[in-house]
Amino acid sequence: MGHLLTRAIMLTNADQVIATSTGDTLHADQFGQLGHTLDEAMTMIRKSVHGLKDEGTDFRAMVEDAMATAKQSDVEIRLSNAIDAVPSHVAHAFTAVIREALTNTIRHSAASEAHVHLIDLPGLWQLIVQDNGGVPERGRVASMGIGIADIEERARALDGTATCGYHNGGWRVFMSVPKTAERNMR
């Protein structure tokens, strides 16, 4: 895919030069925009491929990125991160769960705040996302949605566990992954 994008970038740049040299500013501008878009696509592919390798995974940046959309809401998001680095597959699972949990908090609760805890213990890593959204009115019980099933599936894929439910005046997502997942990725 990278080779195809490189070829498209080169052809677009060549067409931009021709359009500019012939005075066709409209097409020169369009080729410039297309070239910029292709450059962005190439950068995204490089980041994705680089991110698949553990040494290319910036866990802290991934966590901040996962929290970015939620920070634009009215819900105050706090982070306690005691994990410096995890294998790429654990980083991707944790950040997907953070994104899902915070999205659910914003969409489905009356929470004013949520706290993301990342804990590094001797034999495992833990993720806790706790909000203060309260419990639903009597008779309104949250259904097990696709997002919750996805969280549990991500934990199982890493030989870990996840529980989601009402806890301490709000909704909590708790995920625990053994550090053996570092060696036993499925």
Side-chain angles (χ1 to χ4, degrees), residues 17-43:
V17 168
I18 291 170
T20 300
S21 67
T22 61
D24 187 354
T25 56
L26 173 67
H27 288 106
D29 288 343
Q30 289 175 342
F31 284 124
Q33 291 174 16
L34 178 59
H36 179 71
T37 301
L38 290 169
D39 283 337
E40 284 183 31
M42 179 63 92
T43 299

Side-chain angles (χ1 to χ4, degrees), residues 103-174:
T103 298
N104 286 345
T105 292
I106 292 164
R107 287 186 183 164
H108 305 296
S109 81
S112 61
E113 63 183 45
H115 197 151
V116 176
H117 300 271
L118 290 156
I119 304 161
D120 190 352
L121 297 169
L124 50 91
W125 296 290
Q126 290 182 330
L127 163 65
I128 302 168
V129 181
Q130 172 75 50
D131 71 35
N132 67 347
V135 295
E137 298 171 17
R138 187 178 175 102
R140 278 191 70 216
V141 178
S143 64
M144 294 296 287
I146 293 172
I148 293 172
D150 184 54
I151 290 169
E152 292 169 350
E153 184 178 315
R154 286 178 187 278
R156 281 192 306 274
L158 298 171
D159 294 327
T161 60
T163 57
C164 304
Y166 294 102
H167 176 78
N168 200 22
W171 186 263
R172 178 177 74 169
V173 172
F174 177 87

Side-chain angles (χ1 to χ4, degrees), residues 1-80:
M1 196 170 192
H3 294 294
L4 292 173
L5 277 173
T6 299
R7 180 175 176 229
I9 290 167
M10 291 174 64
L11 289 171
T12 302
N13 288 342
D15 286 340
Q16 182 182 22
V17 168
I18 291 170
T20 300
S21 67
T22 61
D24 187 354
T25 56
L26 173 67
H27 288 106
D29 288 343
Q30 289 175 342
F31 284 124
Q33 291 174 16
L34 178 59
H36 179 71
T37 301
L38 290 169
D39 283 337
E40 284 183 31
M42 179 63 92
T43 299
M44 289 175 72
I45 286 176
R46 284 183 180 135
K47 284 182 179 179
S48 295
V49 169
H50 189 64
L52 294 174
K53 299 181 185 280
D54 286 344
E55 60 271 8
T57 303
D58 182 347
F59 182 61
R60 290 188 179 272
M62 290 175 70
V63 168
E64 288 296 327
D65 185 54
M67 294 174 44
T69 301
K71 286 185 175 180
Q72 297 170 13
S73 73
D74 291 336
V75 178
E76 180 186 345
I77 309 296
R78 293 180 290 140
L79 172 66
S80 299

